[in-house]
Amino acid sequence: MNLKPLLALVLSLAVAGCTTNKTDAILGSALVPASVTDIAGNHSIFIATTRKRSDDPSKVFDGERSATLNFARINVTVPREHKVGQIERRKRGKSDDPSKYFMASEAVGYDTGPQFSQALSADVAARGGRVMVFVHGYNTGFDAGVYRATQIAHDSGYPGTPVLFSWASGGSTTSYVYDKESASVARDQLEVTLRLLAQSGARRIDIVAHSMGTWVTMETLRQLAITGDRNLSGKLGDVVLASPDIDVDVFKSQMRRYGKPEKPFILLLSQDDRALRLSGMLAGSRPRVGDYADAGKELADYGVTVVDLSKQKGADSFNHTKFADNPVMVRMLGQRLREDDGFATDREITDRIRQVTQQAGAGLL
């Protein structure tokens, strides 16, 4: 047996993924004081998670699976010197300084769903009834998921309530199988979360899912369709699938069961996504939706609008997070999410996406 290809794949996975760290401390001591002028934004991120609570209070949740859905709210400040597309994180050995880094200033836990729902409802009402759910991908520690949700909400200028659905990723490059199984475990709880949001006064629920998180999302939407409530009683807004780590045939099957949506799902792909290329190798050289060259041609009939980001530059060498770390794209994503389509037609929505992608130098397939 020739072990060289396998060794090369393992070494590649050692530097691939959505993040490179296990769950780290998210609550610091904030030793360095910061004035109001040092802070660009203060965001309350609501959390629904299938992770266990960590024995280390500074981490809040770890990478182990919980048998029940847990809830929290974390306040995160963004420094004034923040650059769009980046997440400025404290380096090891540096002091907690809100004027330089993303910093969690407070974490509040909720013992029950009703307690969480009450706090959430108040925030949703204050923000006009809009909710954005972010579902992270493979190899993502809890802290990294919180910071990414914050960065997307901040850089996009999203006016509604940001909610992070954090499934129990192992947060390591060697935990791909564990993560895929954790994603499977999380499907029912994401459905519970979406229904809870629909009952908490939200008039519109947007979903932004990344990488393996798109698989959790599609499976949950499939389940909703089976129950006869695929659009959450009309409250489902935009569904943005960024770099989907889903087998193409599996995705088609999911869409067939879901049915053609009232307005197209937005699929962001990049043919130079090296992380998905590695995922495809693990799957026996099966193409993933997120780097599939023929996606535009094959998926249009399913009610999917495909945006090709291949010409856009990513901040990481694997080109796997362009939707959030490319300054132009995250602003364009925000422009899309800030719009309230009401009863816009498919053509009107497609025209708007085309305008956004042309401004960003991307392609609409």
Side-chain angles (χ1 to χ4, degrees):
M1 178 181 178
N2 186 355
L3 296 178
K4 288 185 178 180
L6 179 60
L7 178 60
L9 176 60
V10 171
L11 291 174
S12 297
L13 284 172
V15 291
C18 303
T19 64
T20 56
N21 298 312
K22 291 187 176 182
T23 295
D24 203 352
I26 191 169
L27 293 177
S29 54
L31 296 178
V32 179
S35 67
V36 175
T37 58
D38 292 326
I39 305 301
N42 193 333
H43 300 272
S44 291
I45 309 298
F46 286 84
I47 313 291
T49 181
T50 58
R51 298 174 184 263
K52 280 187 176 180
R53 296 190 183 276
S54 176
D55 293 333
D56 181 350
S58 68
K59 294 182 178 180
V60 187
F61 295 102
D62 58 30
E64 295 297 317
R65 300 169 190 155
S66 170
T68 59
L69 191 60
N70 291 312
F71 304 100
R73 174 179 54 80
I74 296 185
N75 290 352
V76 183
T77 58
V78 178
R80 179 68 61 185
E81 61 184 49
H82 165 68
K83 292 181 173 57
V84 175
Q86 296 184 15
I87 300 175
E88 292 83 3
R89 295 198 56 170
R90 179 182 65 85
K91 302 293 192 298
R92 190 177 299 277
K94 298 292 184 179
S95 298
D96 298 323
D97 188 347
S99 70
K100 295 181 179 179
Y101 314 118
F102 278 60
M103 296 294 301
S105 58
E106 181 185 28
V108 177
Y110 301 97
D111 293 331
T112 66
Q115 289 179 353
F116 175 75
S117 182
Q118 183 177 7
L120 180 70
S121 295
D123 195 85
V124 170
R127 295 177 182 273
R130 295 284 298 273
V131 176
M132 177 178 66
V133 182
F134 175 60
V135 187
H136 65 70
Y138 151 69
N139 186 17
T140 301
F142 176 70
D143 54 320
V146 171
Y147 289 139
R148 179 62 78 186
T150 303
Q151 180 252 320
I152 293 171
H154 183 85
D155 288 348
S156 68
Y158 188 76
T161 299
V163 175
L164 169 66
F165 181 79
S166 184
W167 48 277
S169 167
S172 71
T173 52
T174 57
S175 64
Y176 189 88
V177 174
Y178 173 82
D179 278 18
K180 190 60 182 283
E181 292 173 345
S182 292
S184 298
V185 171
R187 293 173 294 186
D188 291 348
Q189 300 296 6
L190 178 55
E191 179 181 348
V192 169
T193 300
L194 293 176
R195 292 190 186 281
L196 184 152
L197 294 175
Q199 296 166 6
S200 296
R203 64 178 177 81
R204 176 178 167 133
I205 301 169
D206 300 310
I207 301 175
V208 177
H210 179 233
S211 190
M212 195 176 286
T214 64
W215 188 85
V216 183
T217 299
M218 285 303 305
E219 283 291 286
T220 300
L221 293 175
R222 179 180 181 275
Q223 290 179 187
L224 288 172
I226 292 173
T227 68
D229 185 26
R230 67 175 193 161
N231 65 353
L232 296 170
S233 299
K235 295 184 177 183
L236 183 65
D238 281 323
V239 175
V240 179
L241 306 171
S243 308
D245 188 1
I246 308 175
D247 179 276
V248 172
D249 291 333
V250 171
F251 182 74
K252 290 177 180 178
S253 175
Q254 291 167 329
M255 290 302 301
R256 282 194 294 268
R257 171 56 77 173
Y258 183 84
K260 189 172 182 178
E262 280 75 11
K263 60 179 180 179
F265 292 175
I266 303 169
L267 194 160
L268 308 178
L269 62 79
S270 186
Q271 295 176 42
D272 60 356
D273 191 323
R274 297 175 61 206
L276 292 182
R277 196 173 304 161
L278 292 170
S279 176
M281 291 174 63
L282 286 173
S285 299
R286 296 291 305 167
R288 317 309 282 172
V289 175
D291 66 347
Y292 189 45
D294 293 329
K297 179 174 60 178
E298 294 190 12
L299 300 180
D301 290 342
Y302 292 88
V304 177
T305 295
V306 178
V307 180
D308 187 353
L309 307 181
S310 300
K311 295 181 180 179
Q312 292 297 302
K313 183 179 180 180
D316 71 280
S317 61
F318 281 80
N319 300 312
H320 192 51
T321 55
K322 291 182 182 181
F323 79 105
D325 63 29
N326 180 283
V328 176
M329 281 312 306
V330 73
R331 285 180 174 136
M332 293 301 101
L333 176 64
Q335 178 181 328
R336 177 73 193 98
L337 290 174
R338 286 193 301 271
E339 294 173 348
D340 196 343
D341 297 309
F343 297 98
T345 66
D346 284 2
R347 178 175 294 278
E348 289 172 332
I349 295 167
T350 301
D351 287 344
R352 292 178 188 178
I353 298 172
R354 177 176 282 107
Q355 182 180 12
V356 167
T357 55
Q358 286 174 348
Q359 293 173 12
L364 184 65
L365 299 182

